[in-house]
Amino acid sequence: VQLQASGGGLVQAGGSLRLSCAASIRTFSSRNMGWFRQAPGKERELVAAISWSGSRTYYTDSVKGRFTISRDNAKNTVYLQMNSLDPEDTAVLYCAADIDIRRAYLSREVTSYGFWGQGTQVTVSS
């Protein structure tokens, strides 16, 4: 099982980035997906999540209205569109797949996600 994240980089404040995460999971279309971030010295936190069907999403308060999570089950890929980036968004971003199939709710717990990508660095300069 592999999750390959890409799209990170260095951007100026106010700019945009689009992250992609390609998953080699046969049951991808049955798993909720999440994007987590970890800044230096801070705990890993859920930024956004999307249900296995794509019908439900979750965003942490600090990114609401700026970030959009989406998925293409035909391509086994989940995306995170990040707009109006702020230096506070600087972190390593990780995509993750729920350890359970068709979980009825979007978990915010790191332990609910059993498959992780390698992380992609997002750096926002002021």
Side-chain angles (χ1 to χ4, degrees), residues 18-52:
R18 188 192 194 209
L19 306 184
S20 299
C21 176
S24 63
I25 306 175
R26 187 170 55 86
T27 53
F28 175 84
S29 61
S30 297
R31 296 183 188 271
N32 298 340
M33 297 294 295
W35 283 98
F36 287 75
R37 67 183 175 190
Q38 188 163 21
K42 295 187 177 181
E43 292 187 352
R44 192 170 297 191
E45 64 166 348
L46 181 66
V47 174
I50 188 167
S51 62
W52 53 271

Side-chain angles (χ1 to χ4, degrees), residues 37 45-47 58-67 83-84 86 88-89:
R37 67 183 175 190
E45 64 166 348
L46 181 66
V47 174
Y58 162 84
Y59 298 95
T60 194
D61 285 346
S62 62
V63 309
K64 285 180 180 176
R66 300 189 298 124
F67 291 10
N83 298 330
S84 301
D86 183 272
E88 291 292 313
D89 295 316

Side-chain angles (χ1 to χ4, degrees), residues 1 3 25 31-32 96-100 103 109-116:
V1 173
L3 298 176
I25 306 175
R31 296 183 188 271
N32 298 340
D98 198 317
I99 197 169
D100 284 342
R103 189 188 299 268
E109 302 298 324
V110 171
T111 53
S112 293
Y113 295 81
F115 309 98
W116 292 84

Side-chain angles (χ1 to χ4, degrees), residues 12 24 26 37 44 57 69 75 83 86 90 94 123 125-126:
Q12 288 188 330
S24 63
R26 187 170 55 86
R37 67 183 175 190
R44 192 170 297 191
T57 57
I69 189 170
K75 296 182 178 180
N83 298 330
D86 183 272
T90 295
Y94 299 90
T123 302
S125 63
S126 57

